[in-house]
Amino acid sequence: MRTAFRAIRHRVRLVAPAGLFGVILAVAFLASLGLVGRSVPIWVDSTFAFGGIWFGFGLLSWASSIMLGRTIEGLQARMDLGTGWTETRSRRAMARVAAFGAGMMLGATGVGLFVL
């Protein structure tokens, strides 16, 4: 039970900063538009869609890293390419990108519920 809790805590620490950054960025962007006098409901939809693009890209790339990771690592070893790309680091990076997009979507939704 303890190892499962540690694994969950490690994963949350991995993606939480990126998700929080997405929330803060979306809220700050929409608040600045509100101060300028722009129509916030239209921008809430646009910000949500922009976050959805990042979330989808991160999710697709994360899955691709899992499917093709060992093949790419083997190819790099065979061709003696010293790029340093690994499946693990790629999965972690794409999880952060997906968390950023999810945070933007969450932030836009929160602002939309508050404003609308």
Side-chain angles (χ1 to χ4, degrees):
M1 185 68 173
R2 275 197 157 177
T3 57
F5 180 70
R6 285 182 186 162
I8 291 171
R9 187 173 53 179
H10 174 70
R11 289 183 178 113
V12 167
R13 276 192 211 161
L14 179 71
V15 296
L20 184 62
F21 180 68
V23 169
I24 291 169
L25 188 66
V27 170
F29 175 69
L30 292 170
S32 67
L33 286 173
L35 292 175
V36 173
R38 301 284 178 153
S39 176
V40 176
I42 294 170
W43 286 99
V44 167
D45 294 341
S46 299
T47 305
F48 185 86
F50 186 69
I53 290 170
W54 283 104
F55 178 72
F57 174 73
L59 189 62
L60 180 65
S61 299
W62 177 79
S64 299
S65 296
I66 291 174
M67 289 187 300
L68 299 173
R70 293 179 193 232
T71 303
I72 294 171
E73 284 180 356
L75 179 67
Q76 287 181 353
R78 182 178 172 99
M79 295 179 71
D80 197 24
L81 300 173
T83 61
W85 186 94
T86 63
E87 174 193 1
T88 304
R89 288 185 3 203
S90 177
R91 282 187 291 121
R92 287 179 182 169
M94 292 306 115
R96 288 181 180 124
V97 170
F100 169 74
M104 282 197 77
M105 293 165 57
L106 185 66
T109 301
V111 170
L113 289 174
F114 181 72
V115 172
L116 304 176

